[in-house]
Amino acid sequence: QVQLAESGGGSVQSGGSLTLSCAVSEYRDYTLGWFRQAPGKEREGVASIDVDDSTIYAESVKGRFTIFRDNAKTTLYLQMTRLQSEDTAVYYCAAGAHPPSVFFDVLVRRADAGHWGQGTQVTVSS
């Protein structure tokens, strides 16, 4: 079973930057992605990357966040810039054997349809 572990969360002021990392225990032909969940809100997809390195972003983070991975494809990153207070949330990395077009929807509706890390807190103060 694929195991994932996030790191890199923390506190930052509005307008600042932070890069999250996710160690993936083994490479598989899975779509990988980042999700976040703010207090009192549903978990939402933030960014995904597929086996061909094609990416999808939520509208709210387009132009500010970048998802990428290392050449060995065992570390996933989320570079976040121009952070806003609305970006405050627990961020999770996830993997699943789903096409990118449905990856966010499937994993939000059925968490057991994918593999998840434990989450890392990102707090943006204004």
Side-chain angles (χ1 to χ4, degrees):
Q1 181 172 346
V2 176
Q3 296 180 329
L4 305 103
E6 304 93 339
S7 61
S11 297
V12 64
Q13 289 192 326
S14 180
S17 301
L18 208 58
T19 297
L20 305 181
S21 302
C22 175
V24 183
S25 62
E26 59 184 276
Y27 174 75
R28 294 190 187 179
D29 289 338
Y30 283 173
T31 299
L32 301 177
W34 289 94
F35 294 73
R36 66 186 181 186
Q37 188 164 20
K41 294 189 176 181
E42 186 179 64
R43 189 171 297 189
E44 63 175 354
V46 174
S48 70
I49 186 167
D50 70 6
V51 296
D52 298 319
D53 288 335
S54 295
T55 57
I56 293 176
Y57 294 93
E59 285 296 324
S60 60
V61 306
K62 277 184 180 178
R64 300 189 299 122
F65 291 12
T66 303
I67 186 172
F68 61 100
R69 52 184 167 185
D70 66 350
N71 289 336
K73 298 187 178 181
T74 55
T75 304
L76 180 70
Y77 299 94
L78 184 68
Q79 183 180 53
M80 305 183 292
T81 64
R82 290 183 281 145
L83 283 161
Q84 306 163 359
S85 56
E86 303 84 71
D87 297 315
T88 294
V90 177
Y91 284 71
Y92 300 89
C93 66
H98 311 286
S101 58
V102 299
F103 181 72
F104 289 161
D105 285 344
V106 170
L107 264 65
V108 166
R109 293 178 189 175
R110 289 187 50 208
D112 63 353
H115 306 277
W116 297 86
Q118 79 285 355
T120 186
Q121 176 71 45
V122 172
T123 302
V124 184
S125 58
S126 55

